[in-house]
Amino acid sequence: MENGRRSGGGQRAASLVVRGHHQRQSAGHGSAAHGRTHDTDRVDGGCRADARRGAFSPAFAQKKYDVGATDTEIKIGQTNPLSGPASAFGAIGKAEAAYIRMINEQGGVNGRKINLIQYDDAYSPPKTVEQVRKLVESDEVLTTFQIIGTPPNAAVQKYLNSKGVPQLLAGSGASRFTDPKNFPWTISANPNYQSEAHIYARYILENHPNAKIGILYQNDDLGKDYVKGLKDGLGAKAGMIVKEMSYELSDPTIDSQLVTLKASGADLFYNMSTPKFAAQSIRKAAELGWKPVHILEVNATAVGQVLVPAGLENARDIISVAYGKDPLDPQWADDEGMKRYKAFMAKYAPGEDANSGFATYGYSTAALLVHILRQCGDELTRANIMKQATSIKGFVPDLGLPGMSVTTTPDDYRISKQFQMMKFDGQRWIISGPILTDDVKAD
């Protein structure tokens, strides 16, 4: 998606200013006053400009803004774990900031620059609460975007819904973030964890029907959703589970849990842990000489950030699911979407690992954000952001697997419902089998 030269002369390129734990993706020049909803008539030149960009009526019939949007700027806020126990996820926010920098250099969204304000919450819910309140009440963002992690999102969900501020493309697949009845202002970017677990259950029943399953899970909504989804998917065969062990984010290691799981006699390891603990568990299983069938949740499958620290040979034959293209897979070498992604990373994020699943995820979520904002046209209100986010029709991401697309409806907020199985061969993930769709809506 590389596009022309960097802006210069009178139009200054977007910049990233870091102050302590605060990053601001600047829109360049100052913007008009904000802080109120208003309507203005469109000028003829603006109509012609929008027509050239492919705009359409009635979305562009008149301008309507909520706080955080002006004729020149769209202000968006995010918390991201740039430090702390989940700091590996920080690569997501860096890729997203780079993508927005690219969009701003290309002229922004419908002529407006995106001003992305990022804070480091260290994956700590109390910090998330403090920083999200600052984003809403002091920075006056139009919407939040991609708050990362289940505990941080859970900590601010009621607050954002009570304020009518979109919790847009939340970085968690917990079922509570795809619940339009109770939380209409929250929509997740991730595959629903229970949906993913249903796919694992199907795989186990078809390929390992006599397995003894040992479970490791994070003791929060993320881990509990994965356990519930597995049990629901196994149905009458849930007795295959012989041991469940949890861990806390504050735990230094999960060594004792692995020792207990091995001693249980489990020969299938259902490993629903986040990156730091996933790396520890893969390495510890190898140290113990425990070689079960190993299923790993998709958020912990990044090669450079998880499997390399765990030991690539230790990770051989681990099973997971995919819903996007892997930059390490040579089958995508001539794929146009992958070419755009790699050109983007080379130009706008040269210091980041372009082969990381965190970078591809950040690229894809930022692209979906831009799609939603473009669909909003000149009605940049919080209500319209949610309307557009929950009425996506067949959006095909650059890095989506062939045959997969994004569709949402007002009563089904799930962004991703399709998967393919994959296995790690010691160097990269190998995708196999058909596209699997979970058609059961989350509870």
Side-chain angles (χ1 to χ4, degrees), residues 32-63:
H34 57 75
R36 64 188 184 276
T37 302
H38 63 278
D39 294 272
T40 60
D41 293 329
R42 296 190 49 76
V43 297
D44 183 60
C47 290
R48 287 198 300 269
D50 280 338
R52 288 194 297 271
R53 285 190 292 268
F56 53 88
S57 290
F60 287 78
Q62 62 179 0
K63 295 180 182 180

Side-chain angles (χ1 to χ4, degrees), residues 58-340:
F60 287 78
Q62 62 179 0
K63 295 180 182 180
K64 188 174 182 181
Y65 300 146
D66 275 349
V67 63
T70 70
D71 285 350
T72 58
E73 180 184 66
I74 306 170
K75 194 183 294 186
I76 291 171
Q78 176 188 73
T79 64
N80 201 263
L82 300 173
S83 61
S87 58
F89 289 144
I92 296 170
K94 293 174 183 177
E96 290 165 345
Y99 191 94
I100 288 171
R101 185 163 61 252
M102 176 186 72
I103 293 298
N104 285 343
E105 286 192 10
Q106 294 173 358
V109 177
N110 299 324
R112 300 173 182 86
K113 300 297 180 70
I114 299 173
N115 180 356
L116 176 65
I117 302 171
Q118 294 180 314
Y119 293 119
D120 177 15
D121 66 0
Y123 210 73
S124 169
K127 287 185 179 179
T128 310
V129 170
E130 174 187 350
Q131 292 166 346
V132 168
R133 282 184 175 274
K134 183 177 180 182
L135 287 168
V136 172
E137 297 171 20
S138 298
D139 297 314
E140 295 188 314
V141 297
L142 176 65
T143 179
T144 65
F145 161 65
Q146 263 283 287
I147 295 169
I148 296 294
T150 298
N153 274 289
V156 297
Q157 186 175 22
K158 289 182 179 177
Y159 168 76
L160 289 171
N161 276 261
S162 71
K163 291 285 190 180
V165 177
Q167 191 172 9
L168 186 63
L169 303 180
S172 170
S175 296
R176 63 182 293 160
F177 304 121
T178 47
D179 181 5
K181 181 179 178 182
N182 294 305
F183 297 105
W185 293 92
T186 300
I187 183 169
S188 170
N190 294 26
N192 182 275
Y193 297 147
Q194 291 188 32
S195 293
E196 186 183 339
H198 296 159
I199 301 300
Y200 295 138
R202 187 188 309 179
Y203 172 85
I204 291 169
L205 291 173
E206 291 176 358
N207 296 277
H208 304 282
N210 299 311
K212 294 183 233 179
I213 303 171
I215 297 175
L216 178 67
Y217 68 98
Q218 189 163 291
N219 189 25
D220 61 11
D221 286 339
L222 176 148
K224 291 172 183 176
D225 262 17
Y226 275 121
V227 174
K228 182 182 186 302
L230 179 68
K231 290 178 178 178
D232 289 348
L234 292 175
K237 298 280 284 181
M240 297 168 69
I241 300 169
V242 297
K243 195 68 178 176
E244 300 177 32
M245 297 296 294
S246 67
Y247 68 87
E248 304 294 335
L249 269 171
S250 57
D251 290 348
T253 75
I254 40 75
D255 287 1
S256 63
Q257 288 93 326
L258 267 289
V259 170
T260 300
L261 287 170
K262 180 188 178 186
S264 73
D267 56 15
L268 190 148
F269 182 22
Y270 184 71
N271 187 357
M272 301 297 110
S273 51
T274 47
K276 170 186 171 182
F277 298 98
Q280 288 183 6
S281 62
I282 295 166
R283 189 167 56 246
K284 187 62 179 179
E287 290 174 4
L288 294 171
W290 185 35
K291 297 181 179 179
V293 175
H294 192 156
I295 294 176
L296 182 66
E297 60 110 336
V298 70
N299 299 301
T301 57
V303 175
Q305 290 74 19
V306 179
L307 304 188
V308 168
L312 291 176
E313 194 58 35
N314 296 336
R316 182 184 293 274
D317 294 329
I318 289 178
I319 296 158
S320 190
V321 294
Y323 58 97
K325 298 165 188 166
D326 181 356
L328 290 169
D329 190 335
Q331 72 173 303
W332 309 122
D334 295 322
D335 177 80
E336 290 303 316
M338 184 61 72
K339 287 180 180 178
R340 283 190 290 271

